Amino acid sequence: MPDHQRISTKPHESVVQALQEADRILHVENERLRNELAMAFAQFLDLRRSFGAVM
């Protein structure tokens, strides 16, 4: 196939790289949110135990 008829993969590679970076960022954010949720739940259980003893 002549060079002028070939499709460049450069734009596709850029899209793939951008999507991989977005995926990485989302995984990091997801992990942070999971940790925050776990801490909030632990605090909730502590409060529940404290008030449960009073009730």
Side-chain angles (χ1 to χ4, degrees):
M1 183 178 282
D3 284 341
H4 70 278
Q5 289 181 344
R6 290 187 186 165
I7 297 173
S8 171
T9 60
K10 294 280 186 205
H12 300 294
E13 291 169 6
S14 296
V15 169
V16 168
Q17 287 176 350
L19 289 172
Q20 287 172 334
E21 178 63 10
D23 186 55
R24 185 192 68 74
I25 290 168
L26 288 172
H27 279 283
V28 169
E29 178 71 2
N30 193 345
E31 183 65 24
R32 184 186 67 77
L33 291 170
R34 284 178 190 265
N35 290 335
E36 284 186 24
L37 180 60
M39 288 189 298
F41 188 67
Q43 289 175 347
F44 166 76
L45 291 177
D46 287 344
L47 285 170
R48 189 171 145 185
R49 277 190 282 272
S50 297
F51 286 114
V54 173
M55 294 178 167

